[in-house]
Each structure stands twice: as C-alpha cells, then as structure tokens.
Amino acid sequence: MTRVLPLAAVCIALLLAGCGAPVADTSTPAPTSPTTDNPTQSTHSATTAATTPETPAETTTQSVTAPADGDYPPGVTAAGVENASRLLAAHQTTIVERGAYTVSQTTIDGVVRGEPFGIVSQSVVQFAPNGSRVRWTNTGANTIGNETTVQDARYYANRTAVATRAVQDANVSVNERNRSDLYDRVLRNAATQQRVLQSTLTSAEFAVAGVEERNGTTVTTLVAENGTYDADRPVTAFSATLELSESGRVLSFTRTRTLRTDLSTEHHRTTVTWRPVVLPVSPPAWTPWRQ
C-alpha cells in the first residue's frame, strides 16, 4: 500500500529541530534531478543518485606537506578540530556568500518492535549567492511492513517570496507566501546542512587524516571513528569523514551510525556533497513566476 503525503510543514519543523530531511532522523529519497519537475517515488530498495547540471571536471590530487596550525581551515589544527563553532561559522559564511549546489542523501534500515522498516531520502538544493534565489527538492519514502509512504516537497524562493509545491493523494497544490525569517533559516540550513554538521562535530573527536592538493585547492580530511555520540538513544557504532577547503567550507560529509535499544536497531548512513552552484537559479515550471 502506497500513500503520498504533503511535506511542507514537516520539512520546516524537522529542519529547525536539527534534521535535514523529510523523514525520521535523516538528512534526506527517491533521486530527483534539480531540473526535473515530475515527482519520483522511491521504495526502501531504491537506489539514490543525484543528477547534477554540470559535468564534473577531472579531479587531480597531490599529497602535500602538513601545514602549520595557522594554515589549516578555521577551527582546525594538526591535532584535529579545536573549535567546532569557528569551523561551522566559516562553512556557513562561504556557502551563503558564494552559493552552493548541495546534495544530501540518507538511508536508514532496521527493526522496531520486531518489524523491519526502511527510509530512503534525498535533498537537492541550488542556493544562489546570499540566497537571492533558492530551488529545493526534498523527497522521501518510508517503508514499514507492506506499507510505503511517499513524501514530496518542493520550494522555490526569490528575495521576497517562497512558492511551495505539495502532493497529497495524487493531487498537487502550489502556494505562494512571503519569505519570512523562518523560511530564510530553513532554506539556509538546507544548503549548509549546518545542524547535521554541528551535531556530528560536537559529538565526536575528529583527527586530521590527510592533506592534499586537489585541483588547486588544499583539502583537509577529518575522520572520527567510534567516537562518543550524544544522542537520545545509544549509538553503538559511529564513523564520520569530512573534507574541507582551506576556507573552512565543507566539500563532502559522510556519517554512519548504528543505534540500538531494547526495542529497536537502526543503521543510518548520510552523505552530503557541496559543489559550486550553476547560475542562474531559475524557477521550475510549477511555480507561478517566470523570473
């Protein structure tokens, strides 16, 4: 049995609570191209993949000598993350000022009270510099037993207004509202994934795993394995990897967790990548605007 539910209110509540996805504890389901406006449904067995508007340039890497502490990204030293707040502030500043194309994917599977479940979700954000234009597709599918709930929420924002698209029982509704401070925070967090990064960086000890020159950028890799994780439920396995540019901008993030209680076992995997945004960020066909 498959049901389609609206996501606009759910996305806002979860993002402000520290979650970057439409479902459960996720950052985000069915793969949806940022330039395609037809909803894509997903099931637990679906494979997620992001379609990007640009062709990636060939990556060249070269190991470099570990820099002095002052030459690491903000908040990072040779010993690892020394000041998570400083690093997060640098990441957010560069994303907001320069814009970003952010793809976040999460898969969760496990058993709750003896019943298997699965979640697959994806968020694709095109965030123009300073958030002047934002295009966001947030989709997901939850499967419990033989019932699947498909979720689909889409947003397009200019400087003053936000258009939202929701699906319920195969009916599509489009609404327009003012771009409030609430929407500003939600859209900014969707692009920066600030809350997911903060919960991870402040819950584990990260060490520098390597420094390399990649296409003219010095990239620092941070890793944490089986670090302590401050969560509501016990985390029995944990690992995370971040790649940073010298400015502190996070280039990629991967986190895996296993959570166990007497009633449930959950396996979480979240990946996020940030790339330069392709301009202009144009309205999708479903919006009431054409500029």
Side-chain angles (χ1 to χ4, degrees), residues 37-100:
D37 296 302
N38 294 326
T40 302
Q41 294 188 351
S42 162
T43 64
H44 170 50
S45 60
T47 301
T48 58
T51 302
T52 58
E54 70 268 34
T55 302
E58 182 179 353
T59 299
T60 60
T61 61
Q62 179 181 356
S63 296
V64 298
T65 303
D69 280 351
D71 295 326
Y72 278 99
V76 178
T77 69
V81 177
E82 182 180 60
N83 189 327
S85 295
R86 187 178 174 213
L87 173 57
L88 289 165
H91 169 71
Q92 177 165 277
T93 296
T94 58
I95 294 293
V96 171
E97 289 182 352
R98 303 175 192 175

Side-chain angles (χ1 to χ4, degrees), residues 3 47 55 134 142 152 158 170 175 205 208 211 238:
R3 296 182 291 129
T47 301
T55 302
V134 184
N142 305 353
D152 188 301
N158 60 25
N175 295 291
E205 295 294 329
V208 175
V211 180
F238 171 85

Side-chain angles (χ1 to χ4, degrees), residues 5-25:
L5 300 178
L7 257 189
V10 177
C11 286
I12 290 175
L14 288 176
L15 279 164
L16 291 179
C19 186
V23 287
D25 176 29

Side-chain angles (χ1 to χ4, degrees), residues 62-271:
Q62 179 181 356
S63 296
V64 298
T65 303
D69 280 351
D71 295 326
Y72 278 99
V76 178
T77 69
V81 177
E82 182 180 60
N83 189 327
S85 295
R86 187 178 174 213
L87 173 57
L88 289 165
H91 169 71
Q92 177 165 277
T93 296
T94 58
I95 294 293
V96 171
E97 289 182 352
R98 303 175 192 175
Y101 180 87
T102 307
V103 178
S104 174
Q105 297 174 297
T106 291
T107 57
I108 303 174
D109 61 77
V111 178
V112 176
R113 298 182 183 274
E115 186 169 28
F117 75 95
I119 297 170
V120 57
S121 62
Q122 177 168 282
S123 168
V124 177
V125 184
Q126 297 174 71
F127 191 90
N130 297 309
S132 59
R133 297 286 190 277
V134 184
R135 184 168 173 173
W136 178 23
T137 299
N138 203 356
T139 50
N142 305 353
T143 300
I144 300 178
N146 62 355
E147 182 174 349
T148 298
T149 301
V150 178
Q151 301 176 328
D152 188 301
R154 301 174 188 228
Y155 303 82
Y156 181 80
N158 60 25
R159 293 183 184 276
T160 60
V162 179
T164 62
R165 180 185 185 277
V167 181
Q168 184 172 21
D169 298 329
N171 296 316
V172 178
S173 62
V174 175
N175 295 291
E176 181 182 355
R177 45 182 57 83
N178 292 333
R179 183 167 172 173
S180 63
D181 289 342
L182 172 64
Y183 269 110
D184 277 343
R185 294 197 302 272
V186 169
L187 295 171
R188 186 170 59 248
N189 184 63
T192 63
Q193 293 290 302
Q194 193 83 348
R195 294 181 182 275
V196 173
L197 292 173
Q198 182 176 29
S199 69
T200 302
L201 285 169
T202 57
S203 300
E205 295 294 329
F206 280 83
V208 175
V211 180
E212 63 184 18
E213 196 77 16
R214 188 181 303 171
N215 293 338
T217 299
T218 301
V219 177
T220 300
T221 301
L222 302 175
V223 297
E225 295 181 357
N226 293 322
T228 58
Y229 192 85
D230 184 14
D232 292 337
R233 291 170 289 177
V235 175
T236 58
F238 171 85
S239 66
T241 301
L242 291 90
E243 293 182 325
L244 313 173
S245 71
E246 55 263 68
S247 68
R249 180 185 179 110
V250 183
L251 305 175
S252 70
F253 164 74
T254 301
R255 182 184 68 185
T256 60
R257 297 182 294 162
T258 298
L259 291 73
R260 299 183 190 276
T261 69
D262 293 339
L263 300 176
S264 67
T265 299
E266 302 178 20
H267 304 288
H268 297 228
R269 178 176 175 83
T270 297
T271 62

